[in-house]
Amino acid sequence: MVRLSLWVSVSLIVVLFGWGAWQRRWISDDGLIVLRTVRNLLAGNGPVFNKGERVEANTSTVWTYLVYAGSWLAGPMRLEYVVLAFALVLSLAGVALLMLGTARLYAPSLQGRRAVLLPAGALVYIAIPPARDFATSGLESGLVLAWFGLLWWMLVCWSQALRARPGGRAFTAALAFVAGLSVLVRPELALIGGGVLIMMLIAARGWRRRALIVVAGGLLPVAYQIFRMGYYGLLVPGTAVAKDAAGDKWAQGVTYLVNFNRPYALWAPAILLVVLGLSLAATRSRPWWIRRRVSPSYGLVARIIQSPPAVVAFIVVSGLLQAAYWTRQGGDFMHGRVLLFPVLCLLAPVAVIPVVLPDGVRYSRQQGYLFAGAVSVLWLGVAGWSLWAANSSGLGDDATRVTDSGIVDERRFYSQATGHAHPLTAADYLDYPRMRAVLTTLNHTPAGALLLPSGNYDQWDVVPVILPVPSGTLPVPTPGSGPHTVFFTNLGMLGMNVGLDVRVLDQIGLANPLAAHTERLQHGRIGHDKNLFPDWVIADGPWVKWYPGVPGYLDQAWVAQAEAALQCPATASVLNSVRGPMGAHRFFSNLLHAYSFTKYRIDRVPRYELIHCGLDIPDVPENGRPPYTGLPATGP
């Protein structure tokens, strides 16, 4: 009965989650950012967003290379469909593993008893609309769910190994590997993965077992960290520098918490599940993992660490720490996204719950029926809330408006902006404002140009290229065409709708090394709180730097000052670390200077940056332009 009810519950949740996710299927602009890097990998340009500039524009390393491997195997299939399949399958696998892990947690105390396992925490999770939104978003959410489901199931197995059978070396190595993978799934998950490795090291017997844990858990993350430092010249992904992941915005974080809770009254299932969990813990029969004797060779500390209560406490505390981290960071601009994982951690111990049928052994049948009835009533409350939340209107009228909070329902926003209920491909995003116009403008500037967003959504402001194109400048023109750069926030839809020979830059620093190294704006929109002036982009390329080539709303003096500020030795070193030819010398130089490059910041106002670097402020004629020499404005 227990096993049958478990598989019925798992099947029901997987079907409901899959159906709900498919009804809300889409791929976000940020999900398309990953695919631009995959396109460069497939083209042989390396793991970069723009050819010739080593920037790690994706937070999840595993997700990037998983999609790359899948795309390589899928051949001609569209990248968007590959990522959609991966995201959905991993999301469903993750929720199934979560429930199986929790069922195993309860299994010892249910041996020989009549009981049914009902979905509880898993039901709550799939009822939250953002959980279904991000199951197919093209982001790494499905990977995170699958990774955590697997880690949870393996942790429960590991916690019961002392009382069941000794854990084999293969299982120990596998668990350590999965835990170590955390930092490559998402950097902040190292809090959980690192904690698991520490628990395993404390509980391990003998130095050989500890060495196995260290090697299995640390070899791949350490190897990739060395690669990251040498190749990208940073200690962390470029996205972490762009968003200043070490900064704090507590007030915005509290706003994000409230924004996530209010539409769904998440406090209601929280209370019900806490009462359910405490009731089950207080009234369970003496569990099998306590009755079985443990070898005296295991110390007291090891026995405490490698036990189900310790694992449950660790996961719950980890969820709270993840929630605290994201609150400190300020949350995100996507409604609910970054708090889904903390919620998942807190729900894991009650993903399924047992309803034990009275047997008259520990309690009288009357007491047993009363307890089973109370659990059933609480579960019905959870199920009722889930039905209501699953059909919630969410943020309502504010879902697609960027209000003072800066938070939007990303799926509904792009569905409305593109006119597609399910924007899945880059082609669907051509109906987003400015997207078709960018293709037209690129076709009309064969000699090359820098494109800046205009106030008119049907056109782009064009900064012409200096002819002949100076050697050693970015971007490198392809044979038969001039260099093109587009400066725009929405990197995903833009990067996937233009060729890899077009350099795509943003003002917030996800793919722009200059913007990434600016200071975070104190009151900027969360996730977009860096804003590089376009003057820097003009200065940093083979573009005309004087009127009338420079748009009238820009100051050519600022452009000249930005061009001079780029000569700051520290700034030049940072840029050369990602633009200079990659070789052994460059790799080791980046490795040695990765810490200083990661910490380096510039002032977004060119004049202030010149003062900061101790450089002279150039004189620029108020009217007119320097004589044309065929060389850059700063050339000899």
Side-chain angles (χ1 to χ4, degrees):
M1 183 181 292
V2 173
R3 181 169 297 181
L4 176 62
S5 63
L6 170 63
W7 286 110
V8 169
S9 295
V10 170
S11 300
L12 177 65
I13 291 298
V14 167
V15 169
L16 288 176
F17 192 29
W19 178 78
W22 186 255
Q23 292 296 314
R24 305 165 81 96
R25 63 192 181 278
W26 71 303
I27 292 181
S28 68
D29 176 67
D30 285 49
L32 293 175
I33 291 177
V34 178
L35 299 188
R36 168 87 173 193
T37 300
V38 171
R39 283 176 66 198
N40 273 298
L41 280 166
L42 292 170
N45 298 328
V48 299
F49 192 81
N50 288 306
K51 181 171 60 175
E53 196 166 55
R54 296 179 296 275
V55 173
E56 190 176 16
N58 309 326
T59 302
S60 176
T61 303
V62 174
W63 183 237
T64 299
Y65 286 97
L66 181 64
V67 174
Y68 166 63
S71 303
W72 183 77
L73 292 172
M77 182 182 293
R78 289 190 68 106
L79 293 179
E80 294 94 325
Y81 297 146
V82 172
V83 79
L84 177 67
F86 268 130
L88 185 57
V89 170
L90 288 172
S91 295
L92 300 182
V95 76
L97 286 167
L98 187 79
M99 298 175 71
L100 293 175
T102 307
R104 188 178 182 94
L105 181 71
Y106 291 118
S109 63
L110 298 177
Q111 282 191 346
R113 306 187 69 184
R114 295 189 306 158
V116 293
L117 288 171
L118 299 175
L123 187 61
V124 168
Y125 182 79
I126 70 169
I128 302 172
R132 304 195 301 281
D133 286 347
F134 290 105
T136 63
S137 64
L139 297 167
E140 68 281 351
S141 303
L143 172 66
V144 171
L145 182 51
W147 171 82
F148 179 70
L150 179 60
L151 181 71
W152 169 243
W153 178 81
M154 296 183 77
L155 265 181
V156 172
C157 295
W158 175 78
S159 72
Q160 296 171 340
L162 294 184
R163 285 87 183 174
R165 57 184 181 277
R169 290 184 178 179
F171 180 84
T172 299
L175 175 56
F177 176 79
V178 172
L181 207 60
S182 59
V183 69
L184 300 180
V185 174
R186 274 196 69 91
E188 71 274 5
L189 299 183
L191 292 172
I192 294 182
V196 170
L197 291 174
I198 291 172
M199 292 174 69
M200 294 179 70
L201 288 171
I202 293 174
R205 288 190 301 171
W207 290 107
R208 289 185 179 179
R209 186 59 65 93
R210 291 189 175 93
L212 176 64
I213 293 169
V214 170
V215 172
L219 183 61
L220 183 59
V222 170
Y224 186 80
Q225 181 63 19
I226 293 172
F227 169 77
R228 171 182 283 149
M229 293 167 66
Y231 190 77
Y232 297 109
L234 295 174
L235 294 176
V236 295
T239 52
V241 178
K243 298 187 179 184
D244 272 347
D248 64 89
K249 282 194 171 183
W250 284 104
Q252 177 63 26
V254 172
T255 298
Y256 191 75
L257 275 171
V258 173
N259 178 272
F260 183 42
N261 168 74
R262 183 182 295 150
Y264 319 115
L266 292 175
W267 56 268
I271 293 174
L272 293 172
L273 290 174
V274 166
V275 173
L276 265 175
L278 293 176
S279 300
L280 293 171
T283 58
R284 69 172 185 257
S285 61
R286 187 172 176 79
W288 170 74
W289 56 266
I290 288 181
R291 292 202 305 267
R292 286 290 297 271
R293 300 185 63 181
V294 180
S295 171
S297 62
Y298 286 90
L300 177 62
V301 174
R303 282 181 282 171
I304 292 174
I305 292 294
Q306 193 171 351
S307 67
V311 165
V312 169
F314 170 76
I315 290 298
V316 170
V317 171
S318 295
L320 294 173
L321 288 176
Q322 289 285 316
Y325 167 79
W326 282 113
T327 303
R328 179 183 184 274
Q329 177 68 9
D332 192 38
F333 63 94
M334 301 186 198
H335 170 63
R337 178 197 169 197
V338 297
L339 291 180
L340 289 174
F341 181 71
V343 167
L344 194 67
C345 292
L346 298 175
L347 293 175
V350 288
V352 295
I353 59 165
V355 177
V356 180
L357 303 180
D359 54 14
V361 175
R362 182 173 180 183
Y363 301 103
S364 67
R365 288 186 179 275
Q366 182 179 4
Q367 290 176 313
Y369 278 118
L370 286 173
F371 176 68
V375 170
S376 299
V377 169
L378 290 172
W379 180 83
L380 286 173
V382 170
W385 174 89
S386 299
L387 182 62
W388 169 80
N391 294 281
S392 167
S393 61
L395 295 180
D397 294 337
D398 289 338
T400 59
R401 293 189 302 175
V402 183
T403 61
D404 291 342
S405 71
I407 305 166
V408 297
D409 183 327
E410 195 81 346
R411 182 188 64 83
R412 290 173 62 184
F413 175 86
Y414 281 117
S415 294
Q416 182 184 82
T418 62
H420 295 274
H422 306 289
L424 289 173
T425 67
D428 291 335
Y429 280 91
L430 286 175
D431 293 320
Y432 188 82
R434 292 195 173 97
M435 284 301 101
R436 292 192 185 278
V438 76
L439 300 183
T440 301
T441 308
L442 289 173
N443 289 333
H444 288 171
T445 53
L450 166 65
L451 276 60
L452 303 177
S454 167
N456 183 342
Y457 283 179
D458 293 326
Q459 71 180 48
W460 287 75
D461 291 332
V462 174
V463 181
V465 67
I466 297 175
L467 294 175
V469 179
S471 61
T473 61
L474 281 174
V476 178
T478 57
S481 67
H484 284 98
T485 291
V486 185
F487 186 57
F488 193 50
T489 305
N490 300 86
L491 289 173
M493 65 179 76
L494 182 59
M496 283 297 289
N497 277 304
V498 300
L500 295 180
D501 57 331
V502 177
R503 189 170 178 232
V504 179
L505 297 178
D506 64 317
Q507 65 265 46
I508 60 180
L510 296 178
N512 187 340
L514 268 176
H517 287 282
T518 59
E519 293 287 353
R520 191 181 192 188
L521 300 177
Q522 186 62 33
H523 300 291
R525 183 190 176 197
I526 191 67
H528 299 73
D529 39 12
K530 291 189 175 181
N531 190 0
L532 187 73
F533 294 118
D535 311 77
W536 289 93
V537 184
I538 298 174
D540 189 36
W543 320 117
V544 170
K545 298 169 175 58
W546 50 83
Y547 297 133
V550 175
Y553 53 80
L554 298 180
D555 189 335
Q556 67 178 7
W558 276 50
V559 175
Q561 291 166 10
E563 191 175 21
L566 289 172
Q567 306 308 312
C568 179
T571 302
S573 294
V574 169
L575 292 179
N576 197 37
S577 72
V578 298
R579 294 176 179 174
M582 177 51 64
H585 182 270
R586 170 62 53 201
F587 187 91
F588 285 107
S589 175
N590 285 356
L591 194 67
L592 291 174
H593 296 95
Y595 175 77
S596 60
F597 290 160
T598 303
K599 300 293 290 183
Y600 184 69
R601 295 292 182 271
I602 65 174
D603 199 300
R604 59 197 287 265
V605 178
R607 184 183 183 90
Y608 297 162
E609 179 61 16
L610 285 170
I611 295 172
H612 176 259
C613 285
L615 297 177
D616 293 333
I617 298 173
D619 293 325
V620 179
E622 292 185 6
N623 298 303
R625 47 171 282 185
Y628 178 72
T629 63
L631 296 174
T634 55

